[in-house]
């Protein structure tokens, strides 16, 4: 997932590294599937890190005519590795990736309708399935899903005499109260380069805006300008978002929250195990709309892609169908770091009292809204957002100018992607 080392908890994916091992093995009647996945550093922690190899082995027990070769690639190098393999004509059969639209538009992927039967397709949470659609056809298969909520330090909130905010005015009031009792960063505004596009979009959605509409990118809209202007004038200018929100990234923000230096912030369920283990005084709530009420939640996930180069459509479909069965899906994505993307697995977790900390996150998923990953230009635009969006909210920042610049960058990226 994009981005997303914060979604995984442990390393140690089991399986053989298998460059170019798609195809039938020499002298063997077995079908050999090459699966490329990300490996993660142990500091970010998740159960899925151990599960790819287990799922592959379990699948092979009931499908002895198929060999799954799991190749681990350091997560930050995964997307480039996939692109290089595809360019060299050595595409894996199945790969975990942050992007899908470029390959879909180039005709290199099997559509979901050719991989899964109708009941399996219908089991995907609709909002997440729809995010994998390019030109009215779904190619991206969601995996390692998450959605953030507003985490807050209950001890600090009690000391400040405030409760979970239900509007932006209440959020600012709570931040002011936290500042008065000496909290260095009342609200952890994460507009640093690690995942600024996530934090920014959560705020834009809560202000009635977004990154792209039906006709393409729409950055410099009145609602988007108003949202970033509010952040600049009502949080950053008054020191309520720390000294440098344009440099605050997600990983250090989580660490500061656990040290009591941040009073509240948007965070994902990956943070839950550490909070529970240390008995940290926390709670979480829906992120508020500007005028009050719950904002549309942001949805995040990575993608499983099935490449058509090797002609293993049936084998790819059979393995992926097994991967998304309720029992398997609950096992591999039911940890604190990643949420299941199927309704059946979600219902199972939602009815399990032991998984109560995840319930509110699961409840948000059907309402989630997404970044425009269906556009082939998105990787380039995402980089521009990470570089520039924080400049809009610093003292003296120009929200209108920054957003207009992003529109220009997006236009260039669209032209580049179309070549």
């Amino acid at each position: 997932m994009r981005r997303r080392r914060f979604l995984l908890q442990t390393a140690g994916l089991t399986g053989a590294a298998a460059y170019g091992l798609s195809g039938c093995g020499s002298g063997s009647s077995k079908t050999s599937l090459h699966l490329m996945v990300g490996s993660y550093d142990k500091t970010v922690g998740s159960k899925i890190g151990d599960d790819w190899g287990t799922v592959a082995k379990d699948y092979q027990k009931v499908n002895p005519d198929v060999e799954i070769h799991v190749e681990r690639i350091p997560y930050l190098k995964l997307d480039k590795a996939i692109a290089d393999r595809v360019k060299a004509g050595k595409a894996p059969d199945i790969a975990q990736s942050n992007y899908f639209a470029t390959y879909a538009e180039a005709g290199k992927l099997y559509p979901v309708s050719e991989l899964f039967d109708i009941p399996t397709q219908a089991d995907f949470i609709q909002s997440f399935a729809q995010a994998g659609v390019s030109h009215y056809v779904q190619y991206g298969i969601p995996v390692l899903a998450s959605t953030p909520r507003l985490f807050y330090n209950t001890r600090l909130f009690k000391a400040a005499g405030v409760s979970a905010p239900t509007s932006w005015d209440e959020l600012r009031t709570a931040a002011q109260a936290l500042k008065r009792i000496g909290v260095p960063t009342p609200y952890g505004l994460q507009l640093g380069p690690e995942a600024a596009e996530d934090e920014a979009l959560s705020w834009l959605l809560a202000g009635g805006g977004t990154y792209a509409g039906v006709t393409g990118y729409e950055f410099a809209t009145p609602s988007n300008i108003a949202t970033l202007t509010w952040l600049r004038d009502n949080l950053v200018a008054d020191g309520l978002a720390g000294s440098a929100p344009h440099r605050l990234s997600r990983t250090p923000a989580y660490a500061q929250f656990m040290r009591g230096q941040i009073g509240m912030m948007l965070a994902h369920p990956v943070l839950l195990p550490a909070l529970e283990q240390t008995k940290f005084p926390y709670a979480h709530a829906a992120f508020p709309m500007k005028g009050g009420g719950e904002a549309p939640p942001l949805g995040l996930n990575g993608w499983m892609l099935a490449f058509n180069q090797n002609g293993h459509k049936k084998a790819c479909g059979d393995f992926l169908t097994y991967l998304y069965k309720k029992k398997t899906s609950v096992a591999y994505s039911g940890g604190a770091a990643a949420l299941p993307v199927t309704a059946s697995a979600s219902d199972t977790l939602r009815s399990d009292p032991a998984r109560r900390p995840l319930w509110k996150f699961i409840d948000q998923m059907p309402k989630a809204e997404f970044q425009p990953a269906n556009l082939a230009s998105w990787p380039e635009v995402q980089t521009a957002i990470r570089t520039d969006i924080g400049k809009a909210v610093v003292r003296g920042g120009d929200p209108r100018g920054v957003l207009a610049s992003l529109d220009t960058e997006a236009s260039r990226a669209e032209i580049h992607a179309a070549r």
Side-chain angles (χ1 to χ4, degrees):
M1 233 188 256
R2 175 180 50 330
R3 52 203 201 304
R4 289 196 310 265
R5 20 181 223 182
F6 71 95
L7 284 180
L8 281 295
Q9 277 181 296
T10 57
L13 287 161
T14 308
Y19 183 95
L21 285 179
S22 50
C24 295
S26 176
S28 170
S29 60
K30 290 187 176 183
T31 298
S32 181
L33 288 183
H34 177 195
L35 172 63
M36 284 181 68
V37 294
S39 62
Y40 300 80
D41 103 29
K42 293 183 180 180
T43 62
V44 290
S46 173
K47 192 171 179 293
I48 185 60
D50 298 319
D51 281 350
W52 285 116
T54 301
V55 171
K57 288 177 182 178
D58 289 346
Y59 178 77
Q60 289 170 150
K61 287 178 184 176
V62 293
N63 295 274
D65 57 337
V66 178
E67 291 181 339
I68 309 293
H69 298 275
V70 182
E71 180 181 7
R72 296 178 296 155
I73 302 291
Y75 179 73
L76 295 178
K77 299 180 180 179
L78 179 61
D79 288 309
K80 184 179 187 305
I82 295 171
D84 289 345
R85 300 285 179 86
V86 172
K87 186 176 180 180
K90 298 178 179 179
D93 293 292
I94 299 171
Q96 173 196 348
S97 176
N98 291 316
Y99 309 110
F100 71 90
T102 302
Y103 303 120
E105 291 188 8
K108 296 184 180 297
L109 301 177
Y110 289 119
V112 167
S113 61
E114 294 182 16
L115 298 168
F116 299 103
D117 58 23
I118 296 297
T120 305
Q121 292 178 60
D123 195 29
F124 284 105
I125 295 173
Q126 192 57 36
S127 58
F128 282 77
Q130 187 61 35
V133 169
S134 176
H135 298 290
Y136 307 103
V137 177
Q138 184 185 351
Y139 293 94
I141 309 165
V143 68
L144 302 180
S146 186
T147 180
R149 286 174 63 81
L150 183 68
F151 280 66
Y152 58 97
N153 184 317
T154 53
R155 182 180 295 138
L156 294 177
F157 266 53
K158 183 177 181 180
V162 292
S163 55
T166 60
S167 69
W168 290 7
D169 284 343
E170 288 184 9
L171 189 149
R172 183 171 185 269
T173 298
Q176 290 171 328
L178 290 167
K179 184 180 180 182
R180 284 194 295 270
I181 65 170
V183 178
T185 304
Y187 178 83
L189 185 62
Q190 304 155 58
L191 294 180
E194 184 181 339
E197 72 278 13
D198 299 341
E199 176 84 20
L201 184 53
S202 291
W203 279 95
L204 295 183
L205 290 171
T210 188
Y211 284 153
V214 213
T215 58
Y217 295 104
E218 296 177 350
F219 285 102
T221 61
S223 57
N224 287 352
I225 293 168
T227 292
L228 296 187
T229 301
W230 189 93
L231 284 172
R232 182 195 65 188
D233 297 343
N234 291 276
L235 281 188
V236 179
D238 292 339
L240 303 178
S243 58
H246 59 299
R247 290 198 290 268
L248 179 63
S249 284
R250 176 176 289 140
T251 300
Y254 285 12
Q256 290 176 37
F257 180 75
M258 292 195 64
R259 290 196 297 265
Q261 297 169 329
I262 288 177
M264 56 180 158
M265 66 177 185
L266 274 167
H268 290 264
V270 69
L271 191 56
L272 291 172
L275 296 173
E276 294 289 340
Q277 184 177 1
T278 59
K279 301 189 183 307
F280 190 88
Y282 81 97
H284 53 75
F287 195 67
M289 288 286 287
K290 184 176 184 178
E294 297 185 4
L298 175 68
L300 297 178
N301 60 266
W303 306 103
M304 296 303 289
L305 312 179
F307 287 90
N308 57 27
Q309 176 181 310
N310 304 308
H312 291 157
K313 179 169 68 175
K314 184 180 186 306
C316 287
D318 288 348
F319 175 71
L320 288 168
T321 297
Y322 175 83
L323 185 68
Y324 286 95
K325 281 184 177 178
K326 180 172 73 171
K327 184 177 178 181
T328 316
S329 185
V330 168
Y332 84 80
S333 63
L339 302 171
V341 295
T342 61
S344 59
S346 295
D347 289 346
T348 298
L349 293 190
R350 190 61 178 80
S351 61
D352 181 357
R355 307 298 181 91
R356 184 180 295 274
L358 294 177
W359 287 1
K360 292 295 184 181
F361 295 93
I362 291 171
D363 291 346
Q364 286 189 175
M365 293 180 70
K367 301 174 282 186
E369 298 194 21
F370 294 80
Q371 297 160 1
N374 62 316
L375 300 176
S377 56
W378 172 241
E380 192 173 339
V381 175
Q382 179 189 58
T383 299
I385 295 171
R386 289 182 174 181
T387 303
D388 296 340
I389 199 77
K391 300 172 185 175
V393 303
V394 297
R395 287 183 177 87
D398 179 9
R400 184 185 300 274
V402 168
L403 290 169
S405 175
L406 285 173
D407 274 325
T408 301
E409 290 293 328
S411 297
R412 289 176 186 157
E414 289 275 77
I415 294 169
H416 182 261
R419 288 175 182 167

